[in-house]
Amino acid sequence: MMKKHWNEIQPIDHYSVKTNGIVHEYDKKVITLLYQPLIGAACYSLYMTLFTEVEENKLWSGESTHYHLMNFLSLNLQSIYEARLKLEGIGLLKTFQKTEDDKRIFIYELQRPLSPDEFFYDGMLNVYLYRKIGKSHFTRLKHFFTDSKINQGQFSEITRSFQDVYTSTSEQNVDFLHHEANIASKTDEKSQYIYQAKGKGVELDDVNFDFSLLLSGLSESMVPRKAFTNKVKETVLKLSYLYGIDPIQMKNVILSSLTADDSIDIEVLRKSARDWYQLQTGDVLPELTPHLSTKGNEKEKNEPLTKEGELIEYLESTSPKDVLSDISNGGKPSKADMQAVEEVLMTQKLSIGVMNVLIQYVLLKTDMKLTKGYMEKIASHWKRKKVTTAKEAMELAKKEHKQYLEWAQGKDGKQPSGSRRKPIRTEKLPDWFTEEDKSSKVKPSKDQSNLNFEEEKRKLEEELKNFRK
């Protein structure tokens, strides 16, 4: 499981999209046919959606919120966050962030993909793609991105030069015109010319590969230091990551790729690394998989979540739209309900988990009506209390239940009624906040409290089963 998004991104956070140069239709074909099998449909949809937000022949989009992305892609924030990380890792996206006046703003800079020849000669991405789609489809894709080659050696070039075709006439004010043209060509500090950038592909760092250890095992007489060009170092990093070759093992791979003039042949280097890997593992090629996260997440993975933990994870990772739909047994939320949720979410800047707890609480306490004024009042209170997680919201809702009940009664202008009308529909709602109105003021005994706790626990477990269905 990847790192949770809760502290990294929220629906109310704003973003703008920038393209690192013009992205052409041909680049889209490369992303669709070569990158999509590696990154998956969610990443592909996110990239294309962000790209579409930038107008044609422009570099920047307008500003939007991540809530817009959640609705547009029909994905929860955790899925969008994970898709973003995968795009960053494979070199298709760079992310920048700043915070001003408690407002978090992101810039998503889309990167051009590698050209087809760069991809197929990458030495890492092409191997992962071959492993993913197989030889037959890989060969078909190679033919799609290649064309016949004409032998131009049999032809003589007869192209005329600029001076052969054009002449420059003399003007009296040529110096003045030259100066004026140069001044007029300059851009101001707030603008730039639209440009076409080159795809950089996957950028690997050398944090997990010790070059000093590798070089210490290779004396200057064996391999000159000048042989380690930037291209060679980049290839060594890729091969180390791809095949799991450590610096000591890499020494023999490099020695087998030396040429007569003491340089390193990159193609031979790749073949030597591939031969080493096949000796270790057979003919099974390595597969591209998302990187497993920190020890804390490994602990989460090994230890099953409690029932309450499952509910909290559901509330933290599900969009408000889907929560409303689950409550209505799969029914589509009304436009008025979604507008109310959207306005409260944006004005109070609540996290996704807190908003979902608020939706469930308000629906239960207002006879399944999503009352906007009541929502805003509780949301404002939670914001002042600095509530940021679903668990904190649940605990505060229980603690302040009587106060919130008075707010609801004050809005309706009615006295508490022991026989409140039940909703017609049978919505699925967790019972973490259920408190039946008591006509009697008698304080329950300790034994009765224990019985109530067990009953609430049983209801919660039953509701979680319903949620998982």
Side-chain angles (χ1 to χ4, degrees):
M1 182 182 291
M2 284 192 169
K3 186 177 181 182
K4 292 295 183 183
H5 70 279
W6 303 333
N7 296 323
E8 304 293 327
I9 192 173
Q10 291 296 336
I12 57 170
D13 292 337
H14 288 245
Y15 72 90
S16 295
V17 184
K18 178 182 183 295
T19 58
N20 184 18
I22 294 294
V23 179
H24 296 283
E25 287 297 322
Y26 194 71
D27 296 319
K28 294 181 184 179
K29 291 183 179 180
V30 173
I31 293 172
T32 302
L33 297 176
L34 301 183
Y35 281 85
Q36 186 178 194
L38 300 179
I39 61 180
C43 292
Y44 175 78
S45 296
L46 177 60
Y47 185 95
M48 289 302 180
T49 300
L50 294 176
F51 171 76
T52 306
E53 291 192 25
V54 182
E55 292 183 23
E56 188 176 0
N57 297 326
K58 296 294 181 182
L59 299 178
W60 284 92
S61 74
E63 198 170 273
S64 302
T65 65
H66 287 83
Y67 186 75
H68 155 77
L69 271 183
M70 292 168 65
N71 287 332
F72 197 85
L73 295 171
S74 296
L75 292 174
N76 60 45
L77 205 56
Q78 177 70 24
S79 298
I80 292 174
Y81 176 65
E82 290 180 4
R84 190 196 93 186
L85 295 184
K86 290 177 183 178
L87 288 175
E88 291 172 2
I90 209 163
L92 292 177
L93 181 69
K94 287 187 177 181
T95 303
F96 305 88
Q97 174 188 328
K98 77 170 182 177
T99 303
E100 58 179 22
D101 301 327
D102 294 329
K103 180 182 178 183
R104 192 160 49 182
I105 304 172
F106 293 87
I107 293 176
Y108 292 140
E109 184 180 86
L110 298 177
Q111 307 297 304
R112 289 191 67 200
L114 295 174
S115 62
D117 63 312
E118 290 171 332
F119 188 98
F120 281 100
Y121 286 115
D122 180 72
M124 185 171 70
L125 293 180
N126 59 325
V127 176
Y128 286 136
L129 183 63
Y130 189 97
R131 170 72 169 80
K132 179 72 175 179
I133 64 177
K135 181 179 179 180
S136 176
H137 192 47
F138 186 87
T139 303
R140 191 165 72 87
L141 285 179
K142 185 182 74 172
H143 288 318
F144 180 86
F145 286 106
T146 56
D147 201 354
S148 56
K149 188 176 181 181
I150 299 175
N151 183 11
Q152 290 182 264
Q154 300 174 355
F155 295 80
S156 300
E157 185 176 1
I158 59 172
T159 308
R160 298 291 194 273
S161 68
F162 179 84
Q163 294 92 327
D164 290 336
V165 180
Y166 299 99
T167 183
S168 180
T169 57
S170 177
E171 295 283 351
Q172 292 181 347
N173 297 327
V174 65
D175 290 338
F176 173 76
L177 290 174
H178 184 271
H179 176 72
E180 285 291 303
N182 286 338
I183 293 297
S185 298
K186 291 181 180 180
T187 60
D188 57 34
E189 295 179 354
K190 295 182 179 180
S191 61
Q192 66 178 134
Y193 281 112
I194 295 172
Y195 60 95
Q196 182 173 347
K198 187 176 180 181
K200 294 183 179 179
V202 178
E203 297 182 358
L204 296 174
D205 55 50
D206 57 359
V207 173
N208 297 319
F209 188 85
D210 192 342
F211 264 107
S212 61
L213 180 59
L214 171 64
L215 295 175
S216 66
L218 296 170
S219 64
E220 180 74 24
S221 59
M222 294 171 65
V223 184
R225 294 298 178 260
K226 66 179 182 178
F228 287 93
T229 62
N230 290 334
K231 183 64 176 176
V232 169
K233 287 183 177 180
E234 179 186 346
T235 304
V236 167
L237 281 176
K238 286 184 177 180
L239 294 174
S240 170
Y241 180 83
L242 180 64
Y243 297 122
I245 308 175
D246 63 37
I248 296 175
Q249 295 162 336
M250 185 64 74
K251 180 184 74 171
N252 295 325
V253 174
I254 289 175
L255 288 173
S256 64
S257 63
L258 276 177
T259 63
D261 60 353
D262 288 334
S263 63
I264 297 174
D265 189 314
I266 290 179
E267 288 304 315
V268 177
L269 179 64
R270 289 174 176 172
K271 185 179 183 304
S272 299
R274 186 165 61 251
D275 292 342
W276 177 91
Y277 180 79
Q278 289 176 334
L279 283 173
Q280 303 294 320
T281 63
D283 292 331
V284 180
L285 290 173
E287 184 177 4
L288 182 65
T289 54
H291 182 59
L292 294 178
S293 197
T294 59
K295 294 180 179 179
N297 285 330
E298 289 176 4
K299 184 178 179 182
E300 283 183 16
K301 184 178 178 181
N302 294 331
E303 295 181 7
L305 291 171
T306 63
K307 297 297 183 181
E308 184 182 4
E310 287 186 31
L311 176 59
I312 290 173
E313 182 169 319
Y314 166 80
L315 294 170
E316 290 283 10
S317 60
T318 308
S319 70
K321 181 180 179 182
D322 289 339
V323 169
L324 283 169
S325 180
D326 289 342
I327 290 171
S328 301
N329 293 314
K332 185 178 179 181
S334 70
K335 184 178 179 180
D337 284 351
M338 287 306 302
Q339 286 179 341
V341 169
E342 224 171 294
E343 288 183 29
V344 173
L345 187 67
M346 298 306 170
T347 56
Q348 299 300 329
K349 299 182 179 179
L350 300 179
S351 70
I352 192 78
V354 174
M355 189 70 227
N356 286 334
V357 173
L358 179 62
I359 289 171
Q360 291 186 334
Y361 184 86
V362 170
L363 283 174
L364 186 67
K365 296 306 175 187
T366 56
D367 198 16
M368 305 310 294
K369 299 171 185 174
L370 207 57
T371 310
K372 182 185 171 185
Y374 189 38
M375 284 177 64
E376 287 178 331
K377 197 163 188 177
I378 297 177
S380 177
H381 182 236
W382 287 1
K383 186 67 179 177
R384 289 194 299 272
K385 287 285 189 177
K386 294 182 171 53
V387 176
T388 57
T389 66
K391 185 175 179 62
E392 292 172 354
M394 290 162 65
E395 291 173 351
L396 187 59
K398 292 176 185 177
K399 181 180 177 182
E400 301 290 343
H401 169 67
K402 290 184 179 179
Q403 176 65 61
Y404 297 161
L405 190 60
E406 289 176 4
W407 289 350
Q409 292 165 353
K411 180 177 180 58
D412 295 335
K414 299 177 182 178
Q415 295 300 318
S417 174
S419 58
R420 175 173 297 200
R421 180 172 59 87
K422 294 183 179 179
I424 297 173
R425 299 172 306 196
T426 56
E427 284 83 355
K428 298 177 184 177
L429 278 174
D431 296 290
W432 57 264
F433 48 69
T434 302
E435 283 190 35
E436 296 182 4
D437 293 333
K438 304 292 182 179
S439 56
S440 173
K441 301 290 184 178
V442 179
K443 185 177 181 181
S445 64
K446 184 176 181 181
D447 291 340
Q448 183 64 35
S449 295
N450 291 334
L451 287 173
N452 289 342
F453 174 78
E454 291 300 324
E455 178 65 16
E456 291 299 316
K457 183 179 178 182
R458 185 191 64 76
K459 289 180 181 179
L460 178 61
E461 291 175 353
E462 185 65 29
E463 293 299 335
L464 280 168
K465 290 179 182 178
N466 291 333
F467 272 126
R468 293 298 164 225
K469 292 178 183 177

